[in-house]
Amino acid sequence: MSTTSTALRPRLLGRTAVNAVVGVCVLYTLLPVLWLVLAATKNRDALFSSDLLSLGDFSFFANLGELFSMDGGLFGRWYGNSLLYAVVGAALGALISVACGYAFDKYAFRHKEKLFGVVLAAVMVPQTVLALPLYLMASGVGLVNTFWAVFLPVLFNPFGVYLGRIFSQGYVPDEVLEAARIDGAGELATYFRVALRMLGPGLVTVFLFQLTAIWNNFFLPMVMLSDQELYPVSLGLYTWNSSATVSPEYYPVVVMGSLLAVLPLILAFMMLQRFWRSGLTAGAVK
């Protein structure tokens, strides 16, 4: 009896410690979100007081209306820009990354591993380091302060190529591709009709990574853009927050805009998470 209780005690202590760490991490993650939700329902006076938890001063809809009317409805334009940059850019970027990863995995060509080493090296380069070279390249071709100056660079993601190769190795058996070729399918038909369907979970995963990175992208638009009509939400809210130091009426709309800015990412993860766990190749090879 004593031996059994002694053996169970470390397990219980270890489980308690793990649960405590997980609980702290959950609180660390959710408390700022809770503060953001509560702050978005308060007016400017309550925002600077200690009344966030009270039920009074409910101004959610007033803040929402003021957000979309501030500066001639500029926030709506920023939101549309972010959706265009992030959703379209992430979709095209995921397709490009997965296709490149598939090529690195399934085809043999000269200096393949050396080129893939360059891709891995590019993963470790911070995006802020590339902002100035990208600006100089965009300036050379006249793309500075245009939609394309922000959109084109986000289409190419070395980490997405790496993930594409990993998913291709795990989800696309060579036997299935050989069977498709024996049936007379060309390389493009084999990829789009067979391989791409198996790579669905990998495509969604890369898409979500790209979506998060592009939606939160701040430094590249700040370097490339000077026209506020082209700003994404992240840069637009930054400019309003900077203006709030001299114009306090911007504080409630910045808080409300920050709340709306996180909603697309939450919805995307909730709607697409089931694709991560789906085994599209289950039973493909007998």
Side-chain angles (χ1 to χ4, degrees):
M1 177 72 82
S2 60
T3 303
T4 304
S5 61
T6 304
L8 290 176
R9 190 174 304 167
R11 296 182 182 178
L12 294 176
L13 291 176
R15 185 178 302 174
T16 302
V18 170
N19 291 336
V21 172
V22 171
V24 170
C25 293
V26 170
L27 289 176
Y28 179 81
T29 303
L30 294 183
L31 284 179
V33 179
L34 178 61
W35 182 92
L36 186 63
V37 172
L38 294 175
T41 65
K42 304 300 178 181
N43 56 30
R44 187 180 63 188
D45 296 332
L47 193 61
F48 289 99
S49 66
S50 58
D51 298 331
L52 285 182
L53 297 179
S54 67
L55 298 179
D57 300 317
F58 185 82
S59 303
F60 180 85
F61 297 105
N63 292 339
L64 189 63
E66 188 176 359
L67 172 66
F68 284 98
S69 62
M70 181 71 70
D71 292 347
L74 202 54
F75 181 81
R77 181 63 180 266
W78 293 341
Y79 211 84
N81 291 340
S82 285
L83 289 175
L84 188 60
Y85 291 138
V87 177
V88 179
L92 293 178
L95 289 172
I96 293 172
S97 296
V98 170
C100 291
Y102 172 84
F104 271 115
D105 176 40
K106 300 304 180 185
Y107 295 108
F109 49 89
R110 192 175 182 183
H111 303 307
K112 180 177 80 169
E113 295 304 327
K114 293 181 180 178
L115 290 174
F116 191 69
V118 174
V119 172
L120 294 180
V123 172
M124 296 181 288
V125 178
Q127 294 299 312
T128 53
V129 175
L130 301 176
L132 182 57
L134 288 173
Y135 174 82
L136 295 176
M137 293 172 62
S139 178
V141 295
L143 293 181
V144 172
N145 199 33
T146 66
F147 165 81
W148 302 107
V150 177
F151 183 76
L152 291 178
V154 302
L155 297 180
F156 306 99
N157 181 14
F159 184 66
V161 176
Y162 167 75
L163 285 180
R165 183 174 185 178
I166 296 300
F167 277 103
S168 179
Q169 291 173 344
Y171 280 82
V172 184
D174 293 335
E175 295 83 354
V176 175
L177 300 182
E178 288 298 327
R181 294 182 182 118
I182 291 173
D183 288 341
E187 293 301 323
L188 288 178
T190 300
Y191 174 69
F192 285 105
R193 296 181 182 178
V194 179
L196 193 58
R197 295 183 180 182
M198 296 179 180
L199 288 169
L203 192 66
V204 171
T205 302
V206 176
F207 171 80
L208 288 175
F209 275 110
Q210 286 277 78
L211 180 71
T212 304
I214 300 171
W215 187 269
N216 295 325
N217 193 9
F218 168 78
F219 193 68
L220 181 64
M222 184 176 68
V223 171
M224 293 290 189
L225 303 176
S226 59
D227 183 4
Q228 289 193 354
E229 295 287 330
L230 298 173
Y231 281 4
V233 167
S234 57
L235 183 57
L237 290 178
Y238 170 78
T239 59
W240 275 359
N241 191 55
S242 300
S243 301
T245 56
V246 294
S247 301
E249 65 270 12
Y250 279 103
Y251 278 118
V253 296
V254 168
V255 172
M256 176 61 70
S258 300
L259 177 62
L260 296 185
V262 302
L263 293 182
L265 298 181
I266 295 175
L267 291 176
F269 275 88
M270 292 177 60
M271 294 172 60
L272 299 177
Q273 65 175 343
R274 64 188 181 93
F275 291 101
W276 299 353
R277 302 171 184 175
S278 61
L280 297 185
T281 59
V285 181
K286 298 293 184 181

